[in-house]
Amino acid sequence: MKFGGTSVEDPAAINRTASIVAGRVAAGKSPVVVVSALAKVTDQLLRAAAAAAQGDRTGALAISSRLRARHRDTSCALIKTPADASALCNLIEQKFDSLDEILRGLAAILELTPRISDLVVSYGERLSSRIIAAAFAERGMNAAHVDAREIIITDSQFQKAAPIDALIDKRASEHLRPLLDAGRVPVMGGFIASNEAGITTTLGRGGSDFTGALVAGALSAEAIEIWTDVDGIMTSDPRVCPDALRVRAISFEEAAELAYFGAKVLHPATILPAVRKSIPVLVLNSKNPSNEGTRITSVAPPCKSPFKSIAVKKKLSIIDVVASRMLMTHGYLKAIFDIFDKYQCPVDMVSTSEVSVSLTVDSNEKLPLIAADLSKLADVNYEGKKALICLVGEDIRGQSGMAAQVFGAIRHINVRMISQGASEINMSFMIEEDDADEAVRSLHAAFFKDADPSVFDTEARKAAVSSSAG
Ligand code: ASP
Ligand code: MG
């Protein structure tokens, strides 16, 4: 069971989380609990580190002192048993003393390396997991705090370390399995890890889901529950499309496509350790725990609607490379991609003709440099403020007339680039960012008007319609 930042943001949220876990234990399950830092703490720690490294010692220490107060207050509100409360508070003070020590060091040396950034940011999960384990114990659960850095072993790519599966399997069976066998509930931080030498690393922003999946994979868990603050995966962003529906069931492949296209519910890499072992992933809402959420499984149930969801990725740029010289030559694409490689710039979508190549990338500050290099090969144009719309669904495989329906629904919008992935489960196209919301609403109206009730929660829509009518 993985709980994100908003599921542990304050004492009320931690209490809700505790009763959700206690409910699973009462139902005879043996959960391992993975928690994020309290909401927003990761951002604030990174800001403190950056401030310190720029010489703003006072600013950095002020952030740390606000975080100290927040963690202290949260603990006091949760832990009433005097001995436990003072033990936890001492621990929190100690951790913040050592954090302040690091921040002062950064302000003296004026340099923030990825390794030290990981060390600073690790305090978020190191603290949250302690507080939550204590809160569970206070509520009568047989909780055991586990330092995630003893279990999740990675390489040394700080800030985005890659897990070493064999070592994680070994550590999980040595440290987690015996706790579960003894009827205890292990509680550990997500996101943080260590390399083989024991130096703290992290799995990258949003990495707690990944931790959850790694632990589930190592223990061959029955399921991974990702507890967040939405009812699961939706047919589109409800802020853009108020009649978006909850998707009851979706395949791993579909969920991975959506994740890559920016649907914020899941970390894309979460999918991998789960897929390998066919462990179902459930996305659930800790603010609405009775909702059944979205179930992600290796094979999607049959669905009468062609698409499961519409995702949007904004702030993209399109780069057009046009060269008649590339006619009938080979090695041209390689030359183009070598330039993106040189600047470590990932490419989202590519479309080529005999004489031109169009690529899309996240808008970034290296773009002018990339364009300058490309212009040595060909004529180059690039433009920002683009959005990628991605329709995902396994049931478009082999269906004819799909493109006509999609582009018919947005016939009034100018489409700049189109791609249908080899996976044949997504159709993506690029438009102006300003047209994105309208395009999503038009597509949603066209494809989810008569959504299949076995796959989409159409009950909620009926309830909303009748309550607004009433
Ligand atoms: N706390 C980390 C972050 O905010 C990891 C996570 O919550 O998944 O990125
Ligand atoms: Mg998250």
Side-chain angles (χ1 to χ4, degrees):
M1 303 177 78
K2 178 264 171 175
F3 292 87
T6 53
S7 300
V8 296
E9 63 191 341
D10 55 21
I14 294 173
N15 276 326
R16 276 197 300 272
T17 290
S19 48
I20 291 167
V21 175
R24 289 290 186 271
V25 173
K29 304 285 183 199
S30 312
V32 174
V33 176
V34 173
V35 294
S36 287
L38 312 195
K40 310 247 154 63
V41 168
T42 304
D43 289 335
Q44 286 159 12
L45 287 167
L46 289 171
R47 224 174 309 130
Q54 277 156 23
D56 181 8
R57 185 170 176 272
T58 321
L61 292 173
I63 297 173
S64 166
S65 113
R66 282 195 297 275
L67 286 172
R68 188 192 287 252
R70 178 173 170 201
H71 285 84
R72 194 196 285 141
D73 294 349
T74 306
S75 304
C76 292
L78 288 164
I79 314 297
K80 299 291 176 209
T81 314
D84 297 342
S86 75
L88 182 61
C89 283
N90 285 339
L91 197 99
I92 291 173
E93 300 301 335
Q94 266 171 32
K95 290 217 188 305
F96 276 100
D97 290 346
S98 60
L99 174 63
D100 288 352
E101 197 78 10
I102 300 168
L103 293 174
R104 283 192 204 98
L106 285 172
I109 58 177
L110 300 174
E111 188 194 355
L112 181 60
T113 61
R115 171 172 161 173
I116 302 302
S117 173
D118 275 356
L119 178 63
V120 170
V121 86
S122 74
Y123 279 85
E125 272 74 7
R126 284 157 67 190
L127 288 155
S128 68
S129 58
R130 289 281 181 183
I131 295 171
I132 291 155
F136 284 9
E138 175 90 3
R139 275 145 198 77
M141 264 186 274
N142 198 352
H145 178 266
V146 174
D147 189 333
R149 296 170 297 172
E150 305 279 327
I151 313 286
I152 308 297
I153 309 300
T154 65
D155 65 10
S156 300
Q157 283 177 68
F158 296 99
Q159 297 181 317
K160 205 162 186 47
I164 304 172
D165 293 332
L167 291 177
I168 296 171
D169 286 354
K170 185 163 174 287
R171 298 291 183 98
S173 57
E174 283 168 5
H175 299 290
L176 293 174
R177 184 65 73 192
L179 292 170
L180 293 170
D181 289 345
R184 306 198 65 183
V185 179
V187 178
M188 57 190 270
F191 174 59
I192 59 174
S194 78
N195 67 11
E196 281 181 81
I199 308 294
T200 300
T201 60
T202 64
L203 299 172
R205 291 305 306 270
S208 293
D209 296 344
F210 197 10
T211 305
L214 289 167
V215 171
L219 295 171
S220 297
E222 191 179 301
I224 312 169
E225 296 182 352
I226 306 281
W227 289 87
T228 166
D229 58 352
V230 294
D231 280 341
I233 294 178
M234 305 291 285
T235 51
S236 78
D237 184 342
R239 285 164 305 184
V240 175
C241 220
D243 57 350
L245 302 169
R246 175 171 60 87
V247 183
R248 294 182 200 273
I250 194 167
S251 73
F252 280 125
E253 235 188 310
E254 291 168 331
E257 294 276 357
L258 285 172
Y260 283 114
F261 281 90
K264 280 276 138 54
V265 188
L266 277 180
H267 189 287
T270 304
I271 308 296
L272 297 174
V275 175
R276 275 204 302 267
K277 293 206 166 176
S278 295
I279 300 170
V281 179
L282 288 136
V283 180
L284 296 159
N285 186 352
S286 67
K287 292 184 176 147
N288 185 16
S290 61
N291 188 287
E292 60 173 10
T294 298
R295 189 178 178 84
I296 308 172
T297 53
S298 38
V299 182
C303 176
K304 290 196 204 81
S305 314
F307 297 115
K308 296 286 166 45
S309 185
I310 306 170
V312 185
K313 195 168 176 186
K314 293 186 181 171
K315 296 203 182 75
L316 296 179
S317 295
I318 187 167
I319 307 167
D320 292 319
V321 183
V322 184
S324 32
R325 264 187 296 150
M326 87 182 203
L327 204 64
M328 311 301 270
T329 62
H330 69 91
Y332 203 81
L333 285 173
K334 179 178 186 301
I336 290 176
F337 280 105
D338 280 345
I339 292 169
F340 286 90
D341 187 47
K342 172 175 158 197
Y343 292 98
Q344 298 187 342
C345 175
V347 174
D348 275 322
M349 195 161 102
V350 189
S351 155
T352 69
S353 74
E354 265 321 312
V355 293
S356 71
V357 183
S358 298
L359 310 106
T360 72
V361 298
D362 281 348
S363 297
N364 65 63
E365 68 285 0
K366 290 179 193 153
L367 224 45
L369 298 173
I370 295 173
D373 271 19
L374 287 169
S375 64
K376 291 173 198 150
L377 302 172
D379 294 333
V380 180
N381 273 308
Y382 66 96
E383 263 176 62
K385 293 205 74 192
K386 301 286 175 279
L388 193 58
I389 310 278
C390 169
L391 295 115
V392 172
E394 282 194 356
D395 298 278
I396 60 173
R397 264 191 187 122
Q399 283 212 32
S400 51
M402 225 52 253
Q405 283 185 49
V406 167
F407 295 110
I410 51 153
R411 65 175 73 78
H412 48 292
I413 289 171
N414 178 26
V415 175
R416 285 292 302 270
M417 191 170 153
I418 301 172
S419 139
Q420 178 164 7
S423 66
E424 276 191 43
I425 70 163
N426 95 59
M427 282 179 65
S428 309
F429 56 89
M430 174 153 280
I431 59 179
E432 296 297 326
E433 203 171 82
D434 292 341
D435 292 333
D437 290 357
E438 199 199 324
V440 169
R441 283 191 287 264
S442 304
L443 290 163
H444 198 272
F447 290 102
F448 294 100
K449 196 169 47 233
D450 301 309
D452 182 342
S454 68
V455 177
F456 303 97
D457 182 9
T458 49
E459 290 304 310
R461 175 191 278 173
K462 273 188 226 143
V465 170
S466 62
S467 77
S468 68

